[in-house]
Amino acid sequence: MISDKMTQAFNEQVNREMYSAILYMSMSAHCNQEGLKGFANWFMVQYHEEMFHAMKIYEYIQRQGAQVNLGAIQAPPTTFESPLEMLNQTLAHEQFITRSINDLMELAISEKDHASQIFLEWYVTEQVEEEENDNDIIAQLKFIKDNPQGLMMLDRELAGRATTVPTDFSKGIESAMAASGA
Ligand code: FEO
């Protein structure tokens, strides 16, 4: 079991992860419109990652016998100045998510909720990777500056990113992970 306070905090995190998903979906749509198909692919893979993050928490709440309460998801921005601006926004958003995961962990610790602490460890590790990925692309974009050839090369590289997380959750997280080899 988890406390009502913990349940509410996890539900709020589901909402944040789903907002992350549509934020990156919106960035993907913008990149597609701009002809940056590789960036569009990278952000769409990111969309799938975020839906996986949301679904893991959704299922954890249910496995703990608690109630999932889905709320309204804020509309994302739809236009962006440049790839660098998008990645800067992505990094800032991921830093916000990292802080919210840390807050969840603090709550689990304060409640001596060991199960939630163990569950949240995966997210703590994941956030390091999320921020690292964004920082890597930002560094490349700063190096490229206004060089179209460099941007096209990076776009081609980002086109190669593949979705490694499951995308069908109809039979639950465990079987989705087994089916996708994640
Ligand atoms: Fe679910 Fe990108 O953090």
Side-chain angles (χ1 to χ4, degrees):
M1 61 161 280
I2 54 176
S3 71
D4 288 349
K5 196 172 173 186
M6 199 77 231
T7 302
Q8 188 186 336
F10 272 125
N11 271 307
E12 286 166 5
Q13 191 63 29
V14 171
N15 189 286
R16 288 187 201 102
E17 299 289 351
M18 291 183 76
Y19 173 75
S20 306
I22 65 158
L23 173 63
Y24 300 142
M25 194 183 200
S26 183
M27 288 179 175
S28 179
H30 177 79
C31 291
N32 197 62
Q33 194 72 14
E34 295 291 308
L36 293 168
K37 305 277 183 180
F39 278 88
N41 172 68
W42 191 90
F43 279 115
M44 193 54 84
V45 171
Q46 199 61 30
Y47 156 82
H48 286 301
E49 293 237 341
E50 300 304 346
M51 289 305 295
F52 177 55
H53 297 171
M55 288 307 300
K56 271 175 76 83
I57 302 171
Y58 172 99
E59 191 174 284
Y60 178 73
I61 294 169
Q62 292 181 328
R63 289 185 67 208
Q64 287 284 15
Q67 172 81 41
V68 169
N69 288 316
L70 299 177
I73 300 166
Q74 188 192 330
T78 53
T79 55
F80 307 90
E81 260 178 37
S82 65
L84 181 57
E85 193 219 342
M86 270 185 285
L87 265 297
N88 279 334
Q89 277 193 32
T90 299
L91 177 61
H93 182 68
E94 289 302 329
Q95 289 167 340
F96 161 72
I97 293 292
T98 299
R99 288 193 293 277
S100 69
I101 293 292
N102 287 342
D103 289 345
L104 275 164
M105 183 63 99
E106 286 296 321
L107 180 60
I109 291 167
S110 74
E111 294 198 352
K112 297 186 169 60
D113 179 347
H114 294 270
S116 294
Q117 287 175 53
I118 291 165
F119 173 75
L120 285 163
E121 275 174 12
W122 184 88
Y123 286 85
V124 172
T125 307
E126 177 71 8
Q127 283 309 118
V128 176
E129 190 184 313
E130 293 273 74
E131 290 187 32
E132 184 184 17
N133 289 343
D134 299 340
N135 276 318
D136 284 350
I137 301 173
I138 287 169
Q140 290 186 69
L141 284 168
K142 284 183 175 166
F143 188 70
I144 288 167
K145 287 195 181 136
D146 297 323
N147 180 335
Q149 272 186 329
L151 188 62
M152 285 299 99
M153 278 177 67
L154 179 56
D155 191 62
R156 270 201 293 276
E157 184 188 323
L158 299 183
R161 186 185 188 194
T163 301
T164 56
V165 296
T167 54
D168 176 2
F169 306 107
S170 52
K171 294 183 176 62
I173 287 284
E174 291 298 328
S175 69
M177 289 175 71
S180 74

